[in-house]
Amino acid sequence: MARKLHLNAFLMSTGHHEASWRLPESDPHAGTSLAHFTRLAQTAERGKLDSVFFADSPVLWGSVARRPSSAVEPTVLLAALAAATHRIGLIATASTSYNSPYNLARRFASIDHLSGGRAGWNVVTTAGADAARNFGLDDQPLHRYRYERAAEFLDVAFKLWDSWDDDAVLADKAAGVWGDDSRVRAVDHSGPHFSVRGPLDIPRSPQGHPVIVQAGSSEDGKDLAARYAEAVFTAQQTLEEAQAFYADLKARTAAAGRDPDSIKILPGIVPVIGGTEAEARRRERELDALIRPEYARDELARTLRVAPEDLPLDRELPPDLPGEDEIEGAKSRYTLIVDLARRERLTVRRLIGRLGGGRGHRTVAGTPEQIADALESWSGAWAADGFNIMPAALPSGLEEFVDHVVPILQARGLFRTEYEGSTLREHYGLARPATQLAEV
Amino acid sequence: MARKLHLNAFLMSTGHHEASWRLPESDPHAGTSLAHFTRLAQTAERGKLDSVFFADSPVLWGSVARRPSSAVEPTVLLAALAAATHRIGLIATASTSYNSPYNLARRFASIDHLSGGRAGWNVVTTAGADAARNFGLDDQPLHRYRYERAAEFLDVAFKLWDSWDDDAVLADKAAGVWGDDSRVRAVDHSGPHFSVRGPLDIPRSPQGHPVIVQAGSSEDGKDLAARYAEAVFTAQQTLEEAQAFYADLKARTAAAGRDPDSIKILPGIVPVIGGTEAEARRRERELDALIRPEYARDELARTLRVAPEDLPLDRELPPDLPGEDEIEGAKSRYTLIVDLARRERLTVRRLIGRLGGGRGHRTVAGTPEQIADALESWSGAWAADGFNIMPAALPSGLEEFVDHVVPILQARGLFRTEYEGSTLREHYGLARPATQLAEV
């Protein structure tokens, strides 16, 4: 029997292609438009996708000239979409470096309640000095420190989510007893990063815990995923790399004492869909032609820690770039970019085109059949449990995927034709966690 | 011409009466139910109310046996209700003591965008050691420190909301220029409590700033309101006290260099509505009879800083309570309770009944005409610009108010029959703030 896929729609305001906002279809104010995000989430739900997902960093990145560099904060967006959809999972990114565990655990539990058990949290540690400077720091904390804090943050969040037993609310109107105080416990956490008394001020949520997602592929990131994550979003350019990542992370998960099937690995894919392969490739070229390379080069230079003038557009990357060990933020992204450029001997201009189309994720331009083939082949080769679908342009890219690729996957028996459960955990086939036992 | 009223619906899960959850109509899980809050917000919108409002404290208060002591976090609730309503204003409480200004300013700007300009923020400093212990502190910060931090928090938030000019988004698809970098500025705030670089990562929101609400009536609270607040929720038991508070706060606002009309003062009122006055009073008594006084006494004892056994149910309060000066949190609520008990020589049991019905706010039991009279008389006597309507039981209390009291107010020319604007600022007759000038 073919392995069923899990499909998540990773949504940026006007799409993942950095020039997508210049297309005639695009609303340049999409990033702050509830109507826009509602249409996208409802489209994904029509396609029976597992979930929609929103990235986040609490900082304005670079120049606003280049593209819509901003959007609404994703936890409040999830809540709005909870009211506008019924079944699809709702995943938002939030930082463990720049939040407090009580507030964030509470917000995700609230979204899980409001959505009837559809919340997921993509746990990030937030790279970059610019973000740190919005929170009273002069520079970002060290990579390892951020990951240690993230692990403790998650421990505290789990304790808070488990501070109410599932049956703590008695609702005994006749006796006048609403809750059972013996089934609600302080957590009394005290650690290097956090002291949190608890309990949380909200009953345990439908999923127990929101689904925990992780997306960093550095060594620290993979170790965090192996301990905590239930879904992993990852950028993998080649089948071999994806297979190696998949095997590595499943093994780390087993080594952490968890069932390898309890972590779903979803590489990103940017589908560019056409009626023919030639049409798809033409659309891809048209999008790339809308990129203004001088903007993109500035960002590439920042990522590579070099000056923009050290990156002539029609030459390859300079040979003397730092190693990943010397990078303090977004390590895996750094390595992915450098490896891609070296492997394919790309000029800076062509590298910018590749990154601008999907920010380092795998782009597949072709017919719906070809897209479906690409998904099936990786899944069958144990490189993926599903995919993070990253439409280049929105809303069209999502609508085409749902209308033309999903039916093929369904006809092949690779994807559900109806939701079988009502929670995000059920969509991903993940168990609902029991509460940790009271230590009293 | 009669002064038009502003009406805000202050919504607790099953109502402000602490025993309301025991009524047959009540959903004991209302506090986490999107369907419940959607029904309430849509009812308030049907009544053309200015806004709905949700209180908050990031802590579980006391025993869960007593009543539904928990609800979803209100900023995410606002976002969900933004998707479920069209015109009504949406106000949530959030703490300046236990949030960072970048995150909170961003979240309110996001809700303002998602709602098309309907967001309001009730600024609180959060009293109590229990809340502090959820955020790494052993005890609450001093009252004055909390208010100093609140003022600086608001200064930072205003800077962040003004970090994009209104016309910063050019959306020039032809030229490939999305935003004007010269119209987006770092804020570079550095003060005793916060260092925040900015700019915010989201364009300026429809209202410029969300409407700023304040609800503390201590000296520090009134001074904060005079400087920053555009609406004030307050508990006033008598006309004379309300007039004095109104005159005082309008004068403080003028002294702070602001137009006194730019701050709307809304005392709370708990309407208990019946077809006759006798029926209303019977309903009030039936609700009071559902209170279990032993639970309420524990909370009263905590508020008064005495032991529960020092509060025999059928005696008046002990004479030797501390003065407000000695209280470090919720000063104005403390004084209100003590003054009410002393003025009316209430036994602890009767005080608990009064507080249980509306937590110290003015309760008016009567016919719809009598409720309307009560609102009109205070407004006409310069004791109020409008009211914070606090239904004892939900959803019935709000539905009765909308269906029976609002039409009387409309017939008297005291309340709008249709929304005249689309933003919360427009509902309250508040100006949209210009951006602070760039200092470059």
Side-chain angles (χ1 to χ4, degrees):
Chain A
M1 193 182 96
R3 298 176 72 210
K4 291 262 188 186
L5 298 176
H6 297 287
L7 296 176
N8 170 69
F10 177 3
L11 303 174
M12 305 273 285
S13 53
T14 58
H16 283 273
H17 196 288
E18 74 158 89
S20 58
W21 73 272
R22 298 181 67 184
L23 293 172
E25 71 164 294
S26 295
D27 172 6
H29 304 283
T32 52
S33 164
L34 179 57
H36 173 75
F37 288 115
T38 297
R39 175 175 172 179
L40 298 181
Q42 291 177 344
T43 299
E45 188 167 67
R46 177 162 60 77
K48 316 301 177 195
L49 268 55
D50 295 66
S51 45
V52 293
F53 161 65
F54 303 95
D56 190 58
S57 189
V59 64
L60 183 66
W61 282 100
S63 161
V64 300
R66 180 179 176 190
R67 64 179 167 200
S69 43
S70 57
V72 291
E73 192 279 333
T75 65
V76 297
L77 179 57
L78 287 202
L81 295 179
T85 58
H86 301 280
R87 300 296 285 276
I88 194 161
L90 304 164
I91 304 173
T93 297
S95 172
T96 53
S97 297
Y98 304 121
N99 279 290
S100 63
Y102 192 92
N103 284 340
L104 199 62
R106 185 177 180 225
R107 224 150 71 233
F108 273 106
S110 296
I111 296 166
D112 204 44
H113 276 293
L114 291 174
S115 64
R118 298 188 283 136
W121 170 23
N122 177 40
V123 179
V124 299
T125 65
T126 310
D130 285 346
R133 291 180 188 131
N134 289 333
F135 297 91
L137 302 177
D138 291 330
D139 200 352
Q140 64 179 330
L142 291 178
H143 195 269
R144 179 158 293 277
Y145 172 95
R146 294 206 313 275
Y147 276 86
E148 287 171 1
R149 179 179 158 113
E152 188 181 336
F153 196 115
L154 280 162
D155 288 338
V156 176
F158 289 163
K159 290 179 187 178
L160 289 168
W161 289 324
D162 292 345
S163 62
W164 292 56
D165 285 342
D166 284 314
D167 56 1
V169 177
L170 306 173
D172 185 342
K173 290 184 179 184
V177 180
W178 184 73
D180 180 345
D181 283 310
S182 75
R183 300 183 206 176
V184 180
R185 292 169 296 275
V187 306
D188 286 327
H189 176 90
S190 179
H193 298 277
F194 305 108
S195 294
V196 179
R197 187 182 191 201
L200 208 58
D201 56 341
I202 187 168
R204 200 157 193 260
S205 75
Q207 295 188 109
H209 307 169
V211 171
I212 301 296
V213 181
Q214 206 276 341
S217 300
S218 68
E219 290 301 307
D220 290 331
K222 283 187 282 196
D223 286 339
L224 190 78
R227 282 176 63 191
Y228 297 100
E230 301 173 292
V232 170
F233 300 152
T234 177
Q236 302 294 335
Q237 285 282 346
T238 71
L239 177 63
E240 295 68 29
E241 285 171 355
Q243 286 172 318
F245 179 87
Y246 186 96
D248 177 32
L249 191 50
K250 294 279 183 177
R252 287 183 200 232
T253 301
R258 298 174 58 208
D259 177 357
D261 201 41
S262 69
I263 186 167
K264 307 297 179 184
I265 300 176
L266 286 77
I269 183 168
V270 181
V272 180
I273 303 171
T276 62
E277 184 177 342
E279 184 195 341
R281 296 215 175 278
R282 181 174 52 72
R283 294 179 72 177
E284 190 180 18
R285 282 195 306 276
E286 286 170 358
L287 265 168
D288 287 350
L290 293 173
I291 295 177
R292 288 187 53 170
E294 66 275 31
Y295 294 148
R297 183 171 63 173
D298 287 351
E299 180 176 310
L300 181 63
R302 270 198 304 279
T303 301
L304 301 180
R305 273 71 169 174
V306 298
E309 52 273 23
D310 292 338
L311 298 175
L313 283 170
D314 294 307
R315 300 181 61 171
E316 293 182 30
L317 294 186
D320 53 347
L321 294 170
E324 181 178 301
D325 289 351
E326 300 168 57
I327 299 296
E328 263 307 322
K331 282 176 183 282
S332 55
R333 177 163 171 74
Y334 173 85
T335 299
L336 181 145
I337 292 171
V338 175
D339 285 356
L340 171 66
R342 302 260 195 253
R343 184 175 61 240
E344 304 193 14
R345 305 203 56 179
L346 300 175
T347 61
V348 168
R349 189 187 300 276
R350 289 183 57 214
L351 177 62
I352 283 170
R354 291 289 292 274
L355 298 176
R359 301 179 307 112
H361 287 260
R362 175 183 173 219
T363 298
V364 178
T367 64
E369 288 282 345
Q370 289 175 312
I371 307 286
D373 291 346
L375 302 185
E376 183 172 6
S377 67
W378 277 33
S379 168
W382 300 95
D385 296 314
F387 295 90
N388 200 15
I389 306 299
M390 303 170 57
L394 290 169
S396 64
L398 182 65
E399 288 169 352
E400 291 162 6
F401 185 85
V402 162
D403 292 333
H404 302 298
V405 181
V406 166
I408 295 170
L409 298 173
Q410 290 170 329
R412 295 182 188 178
L414 296 171
F415 194 61
R416 69 175 70 85
T417 54
E418 192 43 80
Y419 289 110
E420 287 147 28
S422 62
T423 70
L424 178 57
R425 291 194 167 276
E426 289 165 346
H427 302 340
Y428 276 115
L430 297 165
R432 183 176 187 276
T435 47
Q436 300 167 44
L437 284 177
E439 296 184 20
V440 184
Chain B
M1 193 183 97
R3 299 175 71 208
K4 291 262 189 186
L5 298 177
H6 297 287
L7 296 176
N8 170 69
F10 176 4
L11 303 174
M12 305 274 284
S13 53
T14 58
H16 284 272
H17 196 288
E18 74 158 89
S20 58
W21 73 273
R22 298 182 66 186
L23 293 172
E25 71 164 296
S26 294
D27 173 6
H29 304 283
T32 52
S33 164
L34 178 58
H36 173 74
F37 288 115
T38 297
R39 176 175 171 178
L40 298 182
Q42 290 177 345
T43 299
E45 187 167 68
R46 178 162 58 78
K48 316 300 178 195
L49 268 55
D50 295 67
S51 45
V52 293
F53 161 65
F54 303 95
D56 191 57
S57 190
V59 65
L60 183 67
W61 282 100
S63 161
V64 300
R66 180 178 176 191
R67 63 180 168 201
S69 42
S70 57
V72 291
E73 193 278 335
T75 64
V76 297
L77 179 57
L78 287 201
L81 295 179
T85 57
H86 301 280
R87 301 294 285 277
I88 195 161
L90 303 164
I91 304 173
T93 297
S95 172
T96 53
S97 296
Y98 303 120
N99 280 290
S100 63
Y102 192 91
N103 283 340
L104 198 61
R106 184 177 179 226
R107 224 150 73 234
F108 274 105
S110 296
I111 296 166
D112 205 43
H113 277 293
L114 291 174
S115 64
R118 298 188 283 137
W121 170 23
N122 177 41
V123 179
V124 299
T125 66
T126 310
D130 286 346
R133 292 181 187 130
N134 289 333
F135 296 92
L137 301 178
D138 292 329
D139 200 352
Q140 64 179 330
L142 291 178
H143 194 269
R144 178 158 295 277
Y145 173 95
R146 293 206 313 274
Y147 276 86
E148 286 171 3
R149 179 179 158 114
E152 187 180 336
F153 195 115
L154 279 161
D155 288 338
V156 176
F158 288 163
K159 289 180 187 177
L160 288 168
W161 289 324
D162 292 345
S163 62
W164 291 57
D165 285 341
D166 285 313
D167 57 0
V169 177
L170 306 173
D172 185 342
K173 291 183 179 183
V177 180
W178 184 73
D180 180 344
D181 283 310
S182 75
R183 300 184 206 176
V184 179
R185 293 169 296 276
V187 306
D188 287 327
H189 175 91
S190 180
H193 298 277
F194 305 108
S195 294
V196 180
R197 188 183 191 200
L200 208 58
D201 55 341
I202 187 168
R204 199 157 192 262
S205 75
Q207 294 188 110
H209 308 168
V211 171
I212 301 297
V213 181
Q214 205 277 341
S217 300
S218 67
E219 290 300 307
D220 289 332
K222 283 187 282 195
D223 285 340
L224 190 78
R227 282 175 64 190
Y228 297 100
E230 301 172 294
V232 170
F233 300 152
T234 177
Q236 302 294 335
Q237 285 282 345
T238 70
L239 177 63
E240 294 69 30
E241 285 171 355
Q243 287 173 318
F245 179 87
Y246 186 98
D248 178 33
L249 191 50
K250 293 280 183 176
R252 287 183 200 232
T253 302
R258 298 173 59 206
D259 177 356
D261 201 41
S262 70
I263 185 168
K264 308 297 180 185
I265 300 177
L266 286 77
I269 183 167
V270 181
V272 181
I273 303 172
T276 62
E277 184 178 341
E279 185 195 341
R281 296 215 175 277
R282 182 175 52 73
R283 294 178 72 176
E284 190 181 18
R285 281 195 306 275
E286 287 169 357
L287 266 168
D288 287 350
L290 292 174
I291 296 177
R292 286 187 55 170
E294 65 275 29
Y295 294 149
R297 184 171 62 171
D298 286 352
E299 179 174 311
L300 181 64
R302 270 198 304 279
T303 302
L304 300 180
R305 273 69 168 174
V306 298
E309 52 273 24
D310 293 338
L311 298 176
L313 282 170
D314 293 307
R315 299 182 62 171
E316 293 181 31
L317 293 185
D320 53 346
L321 295 170
E324 182 178 301
D325 289 353
E326 300 167 57
I327 300 296
E328 262 308 323
K331 282 175 184 281
S332 55
R333 178 164 169 74
Y334 173 85
T335 299
L336 181 145
I337 291 171
V338 175
D339 285 357
L340 171 66
R342 302 260 195 254
R343 184 174 62 241
E344 304 193 16
R345 304 204 54 180
L346 300 175
T347 62
V348 167
R349 189 187 300 277
R350 290 182 57 213
L351 177 60
I352 283 170
R354 292 288 292 274
L355 297 176
R359 301 179 306 112
H361 287 261
R362 176 182 172 219
T363 299
V364 179
T367 64
E369 288 282 345
Q370 288 175 313
I371 307 287
D373 291 346
L375 302 185
E376 183 171 5
S377 66
W378 278 33
S379 169
W382 300 95
D385 296 314
F387 295 90
N388 200 17
I389 306 298
M390 302 169 58
L394 290 168
S396 65
L398 182 65
E399 289 169 352
E400 291 162 6
F401 185 85
V402 162
D403 290 334
H404 301 299
V405 181
V406 166
I408 295 170
L409 298 173
Q410 289 170 329
R412 294 183 188 178
L414 295 170
F415 195 61
R416 70 174 69 85
T417 54
E418 192 41 80
Y419 288 110
E420 287 148 27
S422 61
T423 70
L424 177 57
R425 291 193 166 278
E426 289 165 346
H427 302 340
Y428 276 115
L430 297 164
R432 183 176 187 277
T435 47
Q436 300 167 45
L437 284 177
E439 296 184 20
V440 184

